Every structure is written in C-alpha cells, then in structure tokens.
Amino acid sequence: ELKVEQNPLFLSMQEGKNYTIYCNYSTTSDRLYWYRQDPGKSLESLFVLLSNGAVKQEGRLMASLDTKARLSTLHITAAVHDLSATYFCAVLMEYGNKLVFGAGTILRVKS
Amino acid sequence: EPEVTQTPSHQVTQMGQEVILRCVPISNHLYFYWYRQILGQKVEFLVSFYNNEISEKSEIFDDQFSVERPDGSNFTLKIRSTKLEDSAMYFCASTRLAGYYNEQFFGPGTRLTVL
C-alpha cells in the first residue's frame, strides 16, 4: 500500500528565512499534488507535479518532483506570516484515482 | 470560476442517527470522491464514484456508508447510524477525467459532530 511521509510535521520559522518541506512516497507514481489548508478550511491546490523533474513556482513557494527518488520538496523562500498554514502533499495512486495524503506540515511563521 | 459546493457546512447529530451530506460537483465533472479528515489528522480517502457506481472504496467505507447521485447535480454521502468516531470534516471532490491530468477539486467541507 502506498505510504506518504512528510517531514517535518511541525515547522516554526522566522520571517525572512528559507526552509524546505519533504514528501517521500513508497511506490511508483508520477503525479504529486501540494495543498494548503488554513484552520477549519478546505484544501487549496498549490501545485500539480506531473512528471519527473517537474518544478513549479508561485510567489515564495517552489515545488519539485523526483520520481526516481520518490521525493517531492516544497521550498519556502523568505517566509512571511501569511504563509502560516498546514501543507499537505498527496500522491495519486498509479492504479485508480484516489489521492493518498501525507500527515501534513504545520507551518508557523513568526514575525 | 466553477467550484464544488457542500451542504451543510456543519452538522451536529446524536450517535445512532442517520446523516446525509450533500455535494454539488463541478457541472462537467464525471468522477466524484469523498474524503474525510479527523481533527488534527491527515485527509483520508473514503470512496470514488463514476458512472453511477462506486469505483473504489477504502476500508473505512463500511456498510454504514453509502453514496448516491440522486439527480444530475447532487452527490451524497449517507452514514446510516453515526458513531462518535465518525466526527470529522468530510470533503467532496470532483474531477473531469481520470487519467494523466487528474486534478481533484475539493469542496469547502462539512464538519460532522456526533454527540
């Protein structure tokens, strides 16, 4: 069964600093998604990564996918308070259409 | 921009009662899903639905759960006899196609509280 592991699970960082969230998964898939969730809210799609070597950037966030290493990263550049949220990676099962989510990374950016 | 909608936003029920959670997927989407998130935990797949039948379900989706597309727009999740452990946020999602580009669009969720 596909397992998706994120680390760290909790990240407290100062404004202006950089950090990376890691997402490892256990079986072959080349479809990975990053979502943001604010407390009590739904899942906001951030990035859709569909092939090995895919890199996408939006503002201070950049996501990449290495399907050979079964690893995706979400890099935060010069964090600001508004980025505080929980970030989930999710992998699409190779057979079937279900998303398997990681445990989530709670990000707190302190000013 | 089209979006998935869900009602109610919050449902409180007594243990043993039946609840129906409603979703309106994006209008030209063909695949529908339910996920749930127990407070503070990760999002878990429950069931996928296509062409008026279940295409996949998880171990969580036992005989107490059922899904239905009663008309051309609604997609419902029914829990026949709720348990305390059913308390969670339930998210509906839809996608136009299965296959290579399969972004699932999530609704705002229904928070179910079982007392």
Side-chain angles (χ1 to χ4, degrees), chain B residues 1-2 9 11-12 25 30-31 36 41 44 48-49 57 68-69 71 73 77 80 82 86 95 99 110:
Chain B
E1 186 175 324
S9 57
Q11 172 96 45
V12 181
L30 301 176
Y31 293 81
R36 80 169 186 192
Q41 297 187 23
E44 301 172 289
S48 60
F49 190 86
K57 61 182 180 179
E68 192 179 31
R69 187 151 163 85
D71 53 43
S73 59
L77 174 69
R80 286 192 187 80
T82 50
D86 293 328
T95 184
T110 292

Side-chain angles (χ1 to χ4, degrees), chain A residues 97, chain B residues 4 23-35 45 47-56 67-69 71-76 91-96 104-105:
Chain A
N97 295 314
Chain B
V4 177
C23 167
V24 179
I26 295 173
S27 63
N28 63 348
H29 284 192
L30 301 176
Y31 293 81
F32 314 117
Y33 309 83
W34 285 101
Y35 292 82
F45 168 81
V47 65
S48 60
F49 190 86
Y50 169 70
N51 199 26
N52 279 321
E53 61 183 28
I54 291 173
S55 48
E56 189 174 358
V67 289
E68 192 179 31
R69 187 151 163 85
D71 53 43
S73 59
N74 289 283
F75 178 52
T76 61
F91 293 106
C92 173
S94 70
T95 184
R96 191 167 66 89
Q104 294 180 20
F105 293 85

